[in-house]
């Protein structure tokens, strides 16, 4: 490729960019004499050994001994090659590279226009939020969340008014509406994609707005949040929300805090957890981990404590470990998410957060504790069960860590490390992974499904009522197979069928039922059984509802108006049924 990557091109670009400026977008630099110093972005350290020499336009790290010029710096930090670095720096310096194919040229242009448009939109939304009467619903929402104006402005929150305000604004500024459509901001008819929503810019680590996520201010709106579609500027799974604001604090504290929701992060920053970020729009991806790894080697994970949150947590722990990152897991007492926790703590938030951080076990330990909760070491069935889970958990980590983890697990459970490292025997075929009834019955969180199974073990007669109120499909998978087996026993042998059939149950299920007999749940009567059935049904309906809402967003993005209408009707009907059911008060009882 002669022209594009010629020495001329490199020289020209190099002459136009300043290494200090480029580096300081990634590293906080302090001047000492004629050089600049900072924490090396390429290895973990507590005191600065990374030096930039502005005269020579070169850099050197005394810690990891990497060095180079602006191109090598960009190559390493952006994980690209020499050509990619040239491309990026040329764009920034306004140097036109020859020999770009027309398609490449076009891509670069579109991306630039989209980015411009997103920037303009963010400014417009922010202006509407604070300076116009139309911004009132947005201001009210922030007030109810107790987000201060100062915090809101740091995140450049905004409000998209009803109607076509943005289109009118663009017309007044003589800007192209088609760029706004390309940027995912506007529908074809000119209406604002985010109308009547509080708008949250999703920015890259340098603070450039790439997309938006937006929360409705309307009570009757089914989709609480909607996100920008993918555009030439935005690819889902590559951005970490809040990183532009959190990066300095991440470096200072030596770890980043990874949360699930954007609002958690916003509240976090307001209450002094300014190293908080969130994986945006998806479960944590490899690309996001690589990006975080540029800023720190340690993540504190704060995920929801429900089943989905715990699964996501485990995935994040093992994914991070394959990139050589350490994780710790904080669990929030009496709160469903960090937002709730911090707001409840109020003025004590900083202190309570510190306590939480200091208590957080490593990612491996958190999984281990969950897998072995309630273990009775004198029960061989249980030992086998827990050993199986731990083996599976340990195997998810890179080879080099497994030995040490097995040792830790041996100390914690008394199960021999050799048993924990042993390869599984070829038979029996793999069973679907369960999160473990034991963990749920002895840990703090008992799901309605597991409670119901225990209750039915103790009082099989309740099947007579429950089976008319609940179909097995409504149970979560973990509880379903044992429920179905018990139901069959009941239908065959009535209230004594379970005892008669039990010996033929899988050992894990036998064990579970015997444990319920030995230690029955607190309330065992028909009324509680019915309430549990109703709660399970309700949870199932809510799950279906969010499924439809997800589908709806897809359909809308694909502009499939027929499907949108059908899904909207389904969602509305389901939402109504859910509200009815909640109003009847099933959920607040049977705790
Ligand atoms: Zn270094």
């Amino acid at each position: 490729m002669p022209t594009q990557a010629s020495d001329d091109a490199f020289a020209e670009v190099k002459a136009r960019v300043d290494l200090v400026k480029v580096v300081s977008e990634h590293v906080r630099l302090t001047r000492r004499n004629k050089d600049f110093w900072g924490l090396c972005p390429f290895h973990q350290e507590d005191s600065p050994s990374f030096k930039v020499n502005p005269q020579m336009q070169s850099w050197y790290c005394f810690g990891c001994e990497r060095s180079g010029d602006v191109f090598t710096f960009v190559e390493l930090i952006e994980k690209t090659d020499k050509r990619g670095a040239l491309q990026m720096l040329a764009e920034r310096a306004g140097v036109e590279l020859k020999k770009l194919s027309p398609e490449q040229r076009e891509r670069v242009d579109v991306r630039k226009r989209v980015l411009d448009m997103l920037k303009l939109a963010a400014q417009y939304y922010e202006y509407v939020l604070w300076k116009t009467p139309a911004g009132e619903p947005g201001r009210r929402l922030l007030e109810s969340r107790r987000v201060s104006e100062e915090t809101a402005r740091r995140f450049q929150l905004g409000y998209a008014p009803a109607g076509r305000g943005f289109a009118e604004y663009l017309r007044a500024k003589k800007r192209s509406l088609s760029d706004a459509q390309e940027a995912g901001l506007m529908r074809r008819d000119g209406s604002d994609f985010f109308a009547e929503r509080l708008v949250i810019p999703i920015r890259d680590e340098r603070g450039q707005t790439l997309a938006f996520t937006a929360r409705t201010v309307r009570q009757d709106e089914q989709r609480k949040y909607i996100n920008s579609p993918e555009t030439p500027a935005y690819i889902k799974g590559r951005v970490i929300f809040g990183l532009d604001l959190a990066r300095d604090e991440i470096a200072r504290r030596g770890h980043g805090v990874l949360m699930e929701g954007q609002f958690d992060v916003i509240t976090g920053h307001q209450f002094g957890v300014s190293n908080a970020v969130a994986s945006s729009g998806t479960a944590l991806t490899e690309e996001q981990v690589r990006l975080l790894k540029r800023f720190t080697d340690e993540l504190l994970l704060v995920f929801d404590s429900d089943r989905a949150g715990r699964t996501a947590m485990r995935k994040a722990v093992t994914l991070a470990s394959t990139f050589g990152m350490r994780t710790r897991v904080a669990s929030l007492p009496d709160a469903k998410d960090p937002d709730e926790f911090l707001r409840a703590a109020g003025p004590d938030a900083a202190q309570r957060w510190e306590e939480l951080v200091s208590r957080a076990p490593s990612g491996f330990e958190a999984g281990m504790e969950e897998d072995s909760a309630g273990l009775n070491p004198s029960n061989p069935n249980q030992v086998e069960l827990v050993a199986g889970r731990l083996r599976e958990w340990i195997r998810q980590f890179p080879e080099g860590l497994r030995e040490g983890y097995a040792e830790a697990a041996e100390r914690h459970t008394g199960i021999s490390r050799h048993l924990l490292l042993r390869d599984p025997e070829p038979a029996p075929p793999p069973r679907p992974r369960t999160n473990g009834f034991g963990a749920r019955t002895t840990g703090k969180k008992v799901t309605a499904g597991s409670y119901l199974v225990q209750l039915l073990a103790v009082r099989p007669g309740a099947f007579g009522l429950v089976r008319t109120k609940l179909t097995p499909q409504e149970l979560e998978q973990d509880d379903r197979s044992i429920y179905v087996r018990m139901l069959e026993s009941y239908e065959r042998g009535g209230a004594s069928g379970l005892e008669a059939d039990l010996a033929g149950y899988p050992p894990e299920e036998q064990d579970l039922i015997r444990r319920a007999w030995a230690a029955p749940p607190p309330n065992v009567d028909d009324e509680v059984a019915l309430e549990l059935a109703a709660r399970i049904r309700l949870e199932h309906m809510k799950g279906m509802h969010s499924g439809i809402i997800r589908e709806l967003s897809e359909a809308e993005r694909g502009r499939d108006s027929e499907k949108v209408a059908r899904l909207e009707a389904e969602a509305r009907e389901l939402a109504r049924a859910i509200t009815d059911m909640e109003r009847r008060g099933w959920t607040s009882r049977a705790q």
Side-chain angles (χ1 to χ4, degrees):
M1 309 286 134
T3 349
Q4 191 195 337
S6 72
D7 291 349
D8 281 1
F10 280 105
E12 194 184 348
V13 168
K14 202 167 173 173
R16 295 234 210 148
V17 293
D18 178 14
L19 176 63
V20 176
K21 251 198 199 139
V22 173
V23 171
S24 56
E25 283 170 12
H26 301 272
V27 179
R28 195 161 46 159
L29 292 173
T30 332
R31 180 155 207 155
R32 232 188 283 154
N33 299 323
K34 62 183 197 349
D35 296 325
F36 291 84
W37 292 79
L39 293 174
C40 176
F42 307 120
H43 85 278
Q44 177 67 27
E45 62 178 7
D46 298 325
S47 59
S49 49
F50 181 86
K51 185 184 83 163
V52 179
N53 181 330
Q55 267 88 45
M56 304 294 292
Q57 290 287 301
S58 66
W59 59 274
Y60 179 72
C61 172
F62 290 89
C64 62
E65 301 191 329
R66 287 187 180 89
S67 65
D69 62 4
V70 70
F71 294 107
T72 38
F73 182 81
V74 170
E75 250 184 87
L76 284 170
I77 204 106
E78 303 286 356
K79 306 273 191 269
T80 177
D81 57 7
K82 202 159 187 194
R83 179 178 305 277
L86 175 65
Q87 186 77 54
M88 293 173 96
L89 289 168
E91 236 177 80
R92 158 193 188 118
V95 175
E96 195 162 336
L97 296 174
K98 290 166 218 132
K99 288 289 171 182
L100 278 184
S101 71
E103 296 83 52
Q104 283 172 317
R105 187 73 264 163
E106 170 69 12
R107 252 205 322 275
V108 172
D109 282 352
V110 173
R111 189 180 137 84
K112 205 177 287 169
R113 290 206 307 269
V114 164
L115 287 172
D116 259 18
M117 189 50 76
L118 291 165
K119 188 173 170 189
L120 191 65
Q123 289 164 353
Y124 166 77
Y125 294 141
E126 189 183 25
Y127 175 81
V128 171
L129 175 63
W130 298 113
K131 301 286 185 207
T132 71
E136 174 65 22
R139 295 195 294 270
R140 269 208 310 270
L141 177 63
L142 288 178
E143 213 175 279
S144 73
R145 292 274 189 139
R146 289 195 236 138
V147 175
S148 69
E149 178 169 350
E150 190 197 340
T151 304
R153 286 201 181 271
R154 292 190 70 202
F155 286 88
Q156 211 188 1
L157 305 188
Y159 183 71
R164 293 155 194 242
F166 188 51
E168 278 153 29
Y169 174 76
L170 291 178
R171 264 190 212 103
K173 294 209 118 197
K174 303 218 179 346
R175 297 291 295 258
S176 138
L177 295 189
S178 71
D179 283 355
Q181 282 167 5
E182 188 88 51
L185 294 165
M186 199 179 284
R187 294 201 179 76
R188 283 209 181 128
D189 64 1
S191 62
D192 197 320
F193 191 75
F194 298 114
E196 293 185 88
R197 286 171 183 272
L198 184 82
V199 180
I200 306 170
I202 298 174
R203 302 189 293 221
D204 67 9
E205 70 276 18
R206 277 161 288 183
Q208 181 162 252
T209 299
L210 302 184
F212 294 98
T213 185
R215 191 199 187 282
T216 185
V217 296
R218 294 176 58 130
Q219 295 292 332
D220 59 350
E221 170 59 54
Q222 303 282 335
R223 279 161 302 162
K224 243 189 192 162
Y225 285 91
I226 59 174
N227 300 302
S228 295
E230 295 205 338
T231 67
Y234 176 58
I235 297 171
K236 264 200 278 183
R238 289 208 185 155
V239 191
I240 290 283
F241 177 77
L243 190 52
D244 56 322
L245 299 175
R247 45 192 279 178
D248 287 351
E249 197 60 15
I250 288 176
R252 206 179 67 76
R253 297 199 200 184
H255 72 270
V257 177
L258 185 65
M259 298 176 166
E260 283 194 290
Q262 281 107 350
F263 246 105
D264 293 327
V265 172
I266 293 169
T267 313
H269 281 247
Q270 171 149 329
F271 284 96
V273 187
S274 359
N275 53 341
V277 297
S279 79
S280 205
T282 53
L284 192 65
T285 65
E286 277 188 31
E287 274 160 318
Q288 289 169 332
V289 173
R290 256 190 246 121
L291 176 58
L292 285 166
K293 171 86 176 155
R294 277 179 14 203
F295 299 93
T296 181
D297 282 329
E298 184 175 319
L299 293 177
L300 179 76
L301 309 175
V302 195
F303 285 17
D304 293 359
S305 55
D306 59 5
R307 203 177 295 203
R310 291 201 313 263
T311 308
M313 179 275 281
R314 281 176 185 261
K315 285 202 178 123
V317 166
T318 52
L319 185 61
S321 84
T322 59
F323 286 90
M325 291 183 88
R326 295 183 303 276
T327 50
R328 294 197 294 143
V329 175
S331 45
L332 304 167
D334 316 316
K336 70 174 189 332
D337 53 34
D339 181 57
E340 194 180 287
F341 174 81
L342 290 166
R343 281 191 288 138
D348 300 330
Q351 195 199 334
R352 294 203 51 202
W353 183 261
E354 281 314 315
E355 287 163 15
L356 205 72
V357 174
S358 65
R359 274 201 312 268
S362 77
F364 171 74
E365 286 167 340
M368 172 184 80
E369 276 160 20
E370 187 186 52
D371 283 342
S372 60
L375 169 71
N376 172 1
S378 59
N379 179 331
N381 281 342
Q382 267 192 39
V383 170
E384 187 43 50
L385 183 70
V386 169
R389 282 192 210 126
L390 289 174
R391 220 167 14 233
E392 181 58 34
W393 180 226
I394 290 169
R395 233 202 336 249
Q396 318 255 334
F397 290 86
E399 191 111 42
L401 296 172
R402 293 182 200 162
E403 187 97 35
Y405 284 170
E407 269 179 52
E410 178 182 299
R411 277 196 304 277
H412 186 71
T413 62
I415 300 173
S416 147
R417 74 188 78 168
H418 305 294
L419 196 60
L420 298 175
L421 287 170
R422 197 185 60 193
D423 280 333
E425 283 110 50
R431 304 167 56 87
R433 243 174 79 81
T434 68
N435 266 321
F437 192 85
R440 278 178 284 130
T441 49
T442 50
K444 54 184 182 302
K445 198 134 191 174
V446 180
T447 67
S450 66
Y451 192 146
L452 180 64
V453 168
Q454 291 179 68
L455 186 152
L456 288 167
V458 179
R459 188 187 175 84
F463 262 121
L465 283 164
V466 169
R467 66 177 164 171
T468 64
K469 299 286 181 198
L470 192 68
T471 62
Q473 284 71 33
E474 289 168 316
L475 282 155
E476 285 187 58
Q477 204 172 351
D478 279 10
D479 307 313
R480 197 180 300 148
S481 66
I482 188 168
Y483 176 88
V484 169
R485 210 182 312 278
M486 287 165 69
L487 178 59
E488 283 165 4
S489 292
Y490 173 78
E491 283 172 348
R492 252 196 313 272
S496 57
L498 178 61
E499 233 177 315
D501 289 353
L502 189 65
Y505 279 37
E508 185 183 331
E509 293 180 2
Q510 284 189 37
D511 185 48
L512 209 145
I513 290 163
R514 292 219 167 84
R515 236 182 309 147
W517 288 350
N523 288 303
V524 180
D525 59 44
D526 288 351
E527 198 197 346
V528 173
L530 284 176
E531 289 188 6
L532 287 168
R535 260 173 68 188
I536 292 163
R537 173 161 283 182
L538 184 61
E539 282 312 307
H540 178 70
M541 283 160 68
K542 284 182 178 169
M544 275 178 35
H545 185 253
S546 19
I548 294 175
I549 298 305
R550 267 196 303 278
E551 246 187 282
L552 191 54
S553 303
E554 290 301 318
E556 178 149 80
R557 210 165 294 154
R559 302 193 166 87
D560 183 346
S561 53
E562 206 169 291
K563 195 169 179 192
V564 168
R566 178 171 60 77
L567 290 171
E568 263 174 359
E570 275 176 37
R572 241 193 324 273
E573 196 170 312
L574 206 47
R576 206 163 21 233
I578 290 171
T579 319
D580 278 359
M581 212 156 170
E582 283 180 333
R583 212 170 279 144
R584 288 204 300 268
W586 289 110
T587 48
S588 56
R589 299 158 70 193
Q591 288 288 352

